[in-house]
Amino acid sequence: MTIPYYRQSQCDFCGTCVGVCPENAIELAETTLVILEDLCTACMNCVIICPTAALEERDDRKEL
Ligand code: SF4
Ligand code: SF4
């Protein structure tokens, strides 16, 4: 299980991902977004909903 990958350069800080996270694992500040690894269950709601594709599912197997 891996938390989503976040690309700050593609994020417009709309906050949509924060609203769909069932674990309250996303913290949005003015210029960045933090996914709290301890809370994230990798449900990928945020990845699916992000309108700018700033969040991406990360597949550990590719990194082996
Ligand atoms: S939904 Fe996407 S663009 Fe909006 S704050 Fe979250 S990561 Fe950024
Ligand atoms: S993958 Fe799910 S639990 Fe993790 S930050 Fe995104 S919406 Fe929240």
Side-chain angles (χ1 to χ4, degrees), residues 20-38:
V20 299
C21 178
E23 312 298 337
N24 292 321
I26 306 177
E27 283 184 353
L28 186 63
E30 255 177 57
T31 56
T32 192
L33 175 151
V34 177
I35 297 176
L36 304 173
E37 199 164 355
D38 288 351

Side-chain angles (χ1 to χ4, degrees), residues 3-4 10 27-28 34 45 47 52 54 56 60-61:
I3 66 169
Q10 273 174 243
E27 283 184 353
L28 186 63
V34 177
N45 279 1
V47 172
T52 64
E56 190 177 275
D60 272 349
R61 286 169 296 184

Side-chain angles (χ1 to χ4, degrees), residues 8-20:
Q8 187 179 14
S9 58
Q10 273 174 243
C11 179
D12 64 7
F13 309 103
C14 65
T16 308
C17 55
V18 176
V20 299

